[in-house]
Amino acid sequence: MPEKARVRVDAWLWAVRVYKTRSEATAACRAGHVRLNGSPAKAAQTVVPGDRLRVRKNGEERDLEVAGLLSKRVSAPLAQAAYLDRTPPKPKVLIPQVPIRDRGAGRPTKKDRRELDRLRSSWNPESDD
């Protein structure tokens, strides 16, 4: 299967499964959610291997580098081989552990209540630790 030298941005985003439909990829380009090498991309612009795409979808931004050209939708493993994901890892959000009481253990004792109060007062969701 010979590959073309250039592929449209919207067709490539659809082929590598970033968007479910090509019209959704086109709409994202029109809305300014896709940037090609740092500048806003139009749907009809072409991509070549080595180009960098920043795609914003569902509040998350992905940084993709074009490694291969696809104009038709292919299987997921082949689609993943067509790009390098340069997205930095998300910072881990620390979620405090909630104490779990056994079912049927009855009401908490005075000691249990004090421990729960101590735990609740030590955790502040607004702090950026």
Side-chain angles (χ1 to χ4, degrees):
M1 178 168 122
E3 290 185 335
K4 297 179 184 176
R6 294 173 178 260
V7 178
R8 287 174 53 117
V9 170
D10 59 347
W12 188 83
L13 289 170
W14 166 73
V16 297
R17 298 168 179 261
V18 174
Y19 291 102
K20 278 189 173 183
T21 63
R22 184 155 170 201
S23 60
E24 189 178 332
T26 304
C29 290
R30 282 195 193 124
H33 299 299
V34 178
R35 297 179 82 72
L36 177 64
N37 296 325
S39 59
K42 292 186 177 181
Q45 279 183 293
T46 57
V47 292
V48 293
D51 281 348
R52 296 287 290 260
L53 287 162
R54 291 187 72 82
V55 180
R56 191 170 57 233
K57 182 180 176 192
N58 298 333
E60 296 180 9
E61 194 159 314
R62 294 179 66 188
D63 188 7
L64 307 174
E65 182 179 337
V66 179
L69 298 177
L70 297 173
S71 58
K72 299 289 181 188
R73 203 158 167 111
V74 293
S75 66
L78 291 176
Q80 287 178 343
Y83 65 88
L84 301 172
D85 197 349
R86 304 278 188 206
T87 307
K90 294 181 199 173
K92 295 206 175 202
V93 178
L94 181 63
I95 300 173
Q97 293 293 322
V98 177
I100 299 174
R101 293 182 51 82
D102 294 331
R103 187 173 172 92
R107 292 179 52 164
T109 63
K110 192 170 189 176
K111 181 181 175 186
D112 292 339
R113 285 196 310 270
R114 285 182 183 146
E115 288 175 359
L116 286 170
D117 289 341
R118 196 174 309 121
L119 178 67
R120 287 185 184 127
S121 67
S122 68
W123 182 68
N124 185 1
E126 285 82 31
S127 69
D128 293 334
D129 291 330

